[in-house]
Amino acid sequence: MLRKFNPSGMPTSPAYSHGVEITSPSRMLFVSGQVGMLADGSVAEGVGDQVRAAIANLDTVLAESGMSRADVAKYTIFLAEGVSIDDYRAAMGPLLPAPPPASSLFFVKALASPAFLVEIEAIAVR
């Protein structure tokens, strides 16, 4: 269903694939940006814990549609200004499937709440 690829002659990354092709008619799920908010309404502390919480929230939405991270074609990630890219990568790296989906990452001045450091949205296909 998803063919993730990196054309020859282009550098590869463990964090994203350059292309993701949908190879057959499929269902698509657009997941709203997920943040580091826990089920009790509190916000996880630090970028690493917020990444893990946002991915856990994403997993919950995917599961409701009968999907998983393996079905994610593209992530769009927003990091609040001042967040360490290295801290983000250390937390996100182990959570990515192999091969990883396509991805775009943006630094933004702020997210919806000053407590939020990361927001992750996804497009999944099955």
Side-chain angles (χ1 to χ4, degrees), residues 12-25:
T12 61
S13 169
Y16 64 89
S17 293
H18 285 286
V20 178
E21 177 183 21
I22 300 169
T23 58
S24 64

Side-chain angles (χ1 to χ4, degrees), residues 36-126:
M37 186 174 288
L38 304 173
D40 66 4
S42 66
V43 177
E45 290 191 34
V47 68
D49 286 343
Q50 285 198 25
V51 165
R52 288 183 282 279
I55 291 295
N57 294 338
L58 175 73
D59 287 345
T60 300
V61 176
L62 290 167
E64 182 72 21
S65 191
M67 296 187 189
S68 72
R69 272 183 255 160
D71 299 308
V72 173
K74 182 164 194 284
Y75 285 121
T76 303
I77 299 108
F78 303 93
L79 298 179
E81 191 174 68
V83 169
S84 162
I85 189 77
D86 292 333
D87 290 346
Y88 163 77
R89 286 181 177 152
M92 187 64 164
L95 302 175
L96 292 171
S103 179
S104 296
L105 185 146
F106 300 92
F107 278 95
V108 297
K109 187 160 183 76
L111 294 167
S113 165
F116 299 147
L117 303 174
V118 62
E119 184 168 334
I120 303 170
E121 60 183 45
I123 300 171
V125 178
R126 175 171 269 192

